Amino acid sequence: MLKSKYLFLSLICLLTSFRLHAQFMDYGSDPAKFKWNIARLPHYNLVYPQGNDSMAYRYALFLENVYPHMSKTIGKPIKAKFPVILHPGNMQSNGMVSWAPRRMELITTPSSDLNNQSWDKHLVLHESRHVFQTGKVMHGIFKPLYYIIGEQAAGVASFFLPVWFLEGDAVSTETAMSNGGRGRLPEFNMVYRAQMLGGKKNYSFDKWLMGSYKNYIGTYYALGFDMTSYARQRYGADIWDKSTGRYIRNLLFEGSFKHYTGSSFKRLQHDTFDFLRAEWEKQDTCTQSPQYLSPAKETYTSYRYPQPINDSIVIAVKSGLKDINSLVIINNGREKHLDYIGSINSRLSYRNGRVYWSELVPGLRWTHQNYSIIKYYDLDKKNIKTLTPRQRYLSPAIDEQGQHIAVSRPTVEGKNQLVLIQAEKGNELAAFDVPDNAFIKELTFAGGDTIISIAVADSGIRLLQFNFGNGIWKELLKTTSANITSPVWKDGKIFFESGANGTNNIYSLNPADGQVHRMTAARFGAFDPSFGSSDGRLFFSDYQADGYRIASLPTDSMLFEKTDLNRPASMPFVETLAAQEQFNLDSARLTSVDF
């Protein structure tokens, strides 16, 4: 029996050279000016550019403090130290774990889509789980292969591990071991909720997993999170530890899962969605009837970041299964194409005939040196201009006069700054360090020299006010566990989007008394608030089964429901996962690391 298994493994090695070739993953090159240090830690060798010692120590602290707790529900990896490489010059926030050669690579620039969890903690939790997953399966019948084909053996060992399991289990971990994580965000599961309740669609497991050119079905991250989390809730915290443990003895991952549960993966997906549908039906209400400005489409199409020019004309970003990102103008329901745009990573901001945004652009030479620049579309000249080439600017906000732009800048050295630039020529006027080195993910002007920012630090997310005239920072909203984003200043109040009630909606904060109120009652999600100039009508992107549509509500149709952001609605599986892990990186007392 043992001989037949090794013959089968040898056959896999011969017939899947393309898969093994892919294990030799080149993640790209860094600028030649970087000089490198190595910090030799108990379980990792941390490689980072000189001058980034403070950033590197934070990663070392989190990596080593998480390590003893990571194996509780998946098992222990191999004992060899794992290399970790930091890439601070790249603006395309991401991370990866590869096993040929064996290493973890982390792009340290925080993501503009960040929730209430600091980027370094998010990366450490998610990618550490991948280290333990793959290390776990390097035992049993796969261990001898290491001495034959080297680190490629990990590619063979993970050949039958589905990607939804690997990524879903990692998302479960980032959610369980912190106060953040994507599993706590209503929009993470919004696609399935809208399809099952709004679209009345229930596709096959293969379609949910493999995708479709006809229908948008979400990502395997969300599908995997739901399935792995439901399995842990129903069959116990150790179900994936037991399944992978049996897999390394018999080569059958689904068969190993079925051995302990009696369920196939298709059955698991069916049971998971039945459970979620029942949960979502309990809160399936919508008490508002907004007016829709964007046309309905037969195929999945989205209109995001609406910016009203007047009460009947709106500019937005259109995208879909058949459309790349483009600027469109909508006039009384009639759509007109303006221009195509690139990899946008911010909202739109309209002032004085110009529409501004930030966009990712590649560098000329180095993979891990690229930029986030400010561009604008001129409605009179009908063209796109680059305002700030070769910069690291995020989340532009334009003042009322259209003369100044405030942006967030995460530096290569790991410092977070608020920067003021001149709107006409893009010249930098001033830069200010953010308290506690919090990352500013979005901004809005609040009249005069005052700017409002949503900042993410170790303690969580909060609203800060800054005055360019006197250089004073002020906290408007203390740290909250609910994610908030898309701030807009209107009539002395700050409007923003949050999933505090279990569905993304628009909220308002009165800085005078600190009271927060919910203003919309979207069925699946309301995003990207903005306001008309004359009657104060609220514009937003309303999510539906066939994509985001631009909607509007008059002032007298908005809710005014008092809300406590410190008590957000609980999302499915989260409490179960947290209780199973019994470790929280955000609240744990961390042990210092010999660096």
Side-chain angles (χ1 to χ4, degrees):
M1 184 64 181
L2 189 60
K3 282 185 177 181
S4 63
K5 288 181 179 179
Y6 280 113
L7 285 173
F8 182 57
L9 286 176
S10 300
L11 185 61
I12 291 176
C13 294
L14 291 172
L15 297 181
T16 59
S17 58
F18 68 94
R19 177 69 180 255
L20 299 182
H21 174 74
Q23 296 301 311
F24 290 100
M25 183 175 291
D26 181 6
Y27 205 38
S29 53
D30 290 85
K33 64 182 179 181
F34 283 179
K35 307 301 179 184
W36 298 88
N37 287 346
I38 299 179
R40 304 193 186 280
L41 309 172
H43 300 101
Y44 298 95
N45 287 327
L46 183 62
V47 184
Y48 66 95
Q50 293 179 6
N52 289 73
D53 297 85
S54 297
M55 174 195 294
Y57 181 77
R58 282 180 57 85
Y59 276 95
L61 185 68
F62 298 148
L63 283 164
E64 289 297 338
N65 276 272
V66 161
Y67 191 92
H69 305 277
M70 192 60 63
S71 63
K72 183 175 182 180
T73 55
I74 195 64
K76 295 182 179 181
I78 58 177
K79 294 182 179 181
K81 284 189 178 183
F82 211 87
V84 179
I85 303 98
L86 304 186
H87 301 286
N90 197 331
M91 294 295 292
Q92 294 180 300
S93 312
N94 209 339
M96 60 156 279
V97 169
S98 178
W99 277 77
R102 176 173 53 90
R103 83 275 190 198
M104 178 195 301
E105 302 206 34
L106 306 177
I107 297 175
T108 60
T109 304
S111 170
S112 300
D113 295 329
L114 194 64
N115 53 39
N116 64 331
Q117 183 181 50
S118 66
W119 180 244
D120 43 15
K121 290 181 180 179
H122 169 85
L123 278 182
V124 165
L125 288 171
H126 187 93
E127 302 302 335
S128 292
R129 188 65 164 195
H130 286 323
V131 172
F132 276 68
Q133 289 167 346
T134 315
K136 167 68 178 298
V137 297
M138 283 297 292
H139 295 87
I141 61 177
F142 297 105
K143 192 171 183 178
L145 283 180
Y146 180 82
Y147 301 101
I148 301 174
I149 59 175
E151 292 178 345
Q152 292 180 88
V156 178
S158 60
F159 186 82
F160 294 111
L161 294 181
V163 66
W164 63 260
F165 162 70
L166 295 172
E167 296 298 349
D169 180 59
V171 174
S172 297
T173 302
E174 79 191 39
T175 303
M177 292 190 172
S178 71
N179 294 329
R182 282 168 283 186
R184 298 178 187 267
L185 302 177
E187 62 266 37
F188 191 58
N189 258 324
M190 184 174 62
V191 172
Y192 302 141
R193 182 177 173 185
Q195 292 285 17
M196 284 190 274
L197 302 185
K200 303 297 182 183
K201 297 173 182 176
N202 191 11
Y203 303 124
S204 67
F205 173 56
D206 290 336
K207 184 167 182 176
W208 285 121
L209 176 62
M210 303 303 294
S212 168
Y213 290 109
K214 184 178 180 181
N215 307 105
Y216 180 66
I217 47 76
T219 69
Y220 51 74
Y221 286 81
L223 178 67
F225 168 76
D226 291 333
M227 291 176 62
T228 57
S229 300
Y230 176 79
R232 287 177 58 166
Q233 179 170 286
R234 181 170 178 178
Y235 303 113
D238 62 347
I239 182 57
W240 299 116
D241 186 11
K242 293 190 298 185
S243 296
T244 51
R246 184 178 173 83
Y247 162 71
I248 61 177
R249 300 192 302 269
N250 67 8
L251 290 178
L252 301 173
F253 184 58
E254 184 173 8
S256 298
F257 176 78
K258 193 171 185 178
H259 173 80
Y260 293 109
T261 66
S263 172
S264 66
F265 287 153
K266 287 186 178 181
R267 186 68 208 178
L268 175 63
Q269 180 267 323
H270 185 272
D271 292 343
T272 301
F273 277 26
D274 280 349
F275 171 82
L276 289 172
R277 184 185 295 106
E279 291 292 308
W280 292 331
E281 285 175 347
K282 297 175 184 177
Q283 52 180 319
D284 186 26
T285 59
C286 181
T287 58
Q288 290 174 321
S289 299
Q291 176 186 353
Y292 290 103
L293 285 75
S294 58
K297 299 289 185 177
E298 293 183 0
T299 58
Y300 186 92
T301 306
S302 288
Y303 296 86
R304 297 293 307 271
Y305 321 121
Q307 289 291 297
I309 307 302
N310 55 44
D311 294 335
S312 60
I313 301 177
V314 177
I315 290 180
V317 174
K318 177 185 178 181
S319 62
L321 295 177
K322 297 182 178 180
D323 302 285
I324 61 175
N325 289 341
S326 62
L327 283 178
V328 295
I329 189 166
I330 299 171
N331 187 350
N332 291 320
R334 295 189 298 272
E335 176 187 320
K336 179 182 177 182
H337 172 83
L338 296 179
D339 210 336
Y340 291 108
I341 59 177
S343 182
I344 184 171
N345 61 349
S346 74
R347 297 179 293 161
L348 300 181
S349 186
Y350 171 77
R351 285 290 187 275
N352 299 339
R354 291 179 177 180
V355 184
Y356 296 84
W357 67 91
S358 63
E359 185 175 305
L360 287 170
V361 294
L364 295 177
R365 172 62 180 87
W366 311 105
T367 310
H368 291 299
Q369 184 179 50
N370 45 46
Y371 308 98
S372 180
I373 64 176
I374 308 300
K375 291 187 175 184
Y376 68 84
Y377 180 86
D378 193 308
L379 292 176
D380 294 328
K381 297 180 180 179
K382 296 180 173 53
N383 59 10
I384 293 176
K385 293 290 185 181
T386 297
L387 184 63
T388 60
R390 298 174 63 85
Q391 293 291 347
R392 293 172 61 91
Y393 294 156
L394 298 169
S395 307
I398 323 300
D399 67 4
E400 293 181 357
Q401 292 74 35
Q403 297 179 350
H404 300 104
I405 304 175
V407 296
S408 169
R409 177 172 63 189
T411 69
V412 174
E413 296 75 25
K415 183 182 293 185
N416 291 302
Q417 297 178 322
L418 172 62
V419 179
L420 186 67
I421 62 178
Q422 200 263 350
E424 187 62 34
K425 296 184 179 180
N427 301 326
E428 186 170 311
L429 302 176
F432 306 89
D433 292 341
V434 186
D436 301 323
N437 200 34
F439 169 66
I440 294 179
K441 71 172 187 174
E442 286 194 295
L443 298 158
T444 187
F445 272 92
D449 293 332
T450 303
I451 191 83
I452 306 296
S453 64
I454 296 178
V456 182
D458 270 348
S459 56
I461 196 167
R462 55 185 172 165
L463 275 173
L464 299 177
Q465 176 182 293
F466 180 73
N467 188 282
F468 287 110
N470 56 30
I472 295 177
W473 291 88
K474 178 182 178 182
E475 187 176 67
L476 298 181
L477 183 66
K478 292 185 178 181
T479 302
T480 174
S481 55
N483 186 41
I484 57 177
T485 190
S486 304
V488 176
W489 179 263
K490 177 67 174 177
D491 297 334
K493 294 181 180 180
I494 305 168
F495 292 81
F496 57 89
E497 173 258 307
S498 176
N501 77 318
T503 302
N504 292 78
N505 276 292
I506 311 302
Y507 293 76
S508 70
L509 167 69
N510 187 347
D513 57 15
Q515 293 295 315
V516 177
H517 293 87
R518 182 163 66 101
M519 312 305 292
T520 62
R523 187 180 184 189
F524 303 119
F527 302 82
D528 317 322
S530 59
F531 287 90
S533 56
S534 59
D535 63 355
R537 177 179 288 268
L538 171 66
F539 292 81
F540 59 95
S541 296
D542 183 68
Y543 189 79
Q544 300 177 358
D546 292 323
Y548 295 85
R549 293 187 66 187
I550 298 176
S552 70
L553 283 171
T555 304
D556 56 7
S557 295
M558 287 188 277
L559 303 177
F560 201 69
E561 181 180 284
K562 191 173 181 179
T563 302
D564 183 1
L565 292 181
N566 290 316
R567 301 180 64 183
S570 179
M571 303 305 295
F573 312 126
V574 171
E575 293 181 1
T576 299
L577 294 173
Q580 290 174 346
E581 295 293 353
Q582 295 183 339
F583 173 81
N584 188 307
L585 182 58
D586 291 320
S587 59
R589 179 176 294 180
L590 305 183
T591 303
S592 61
V593 176
D594 184 11
F595 192 69

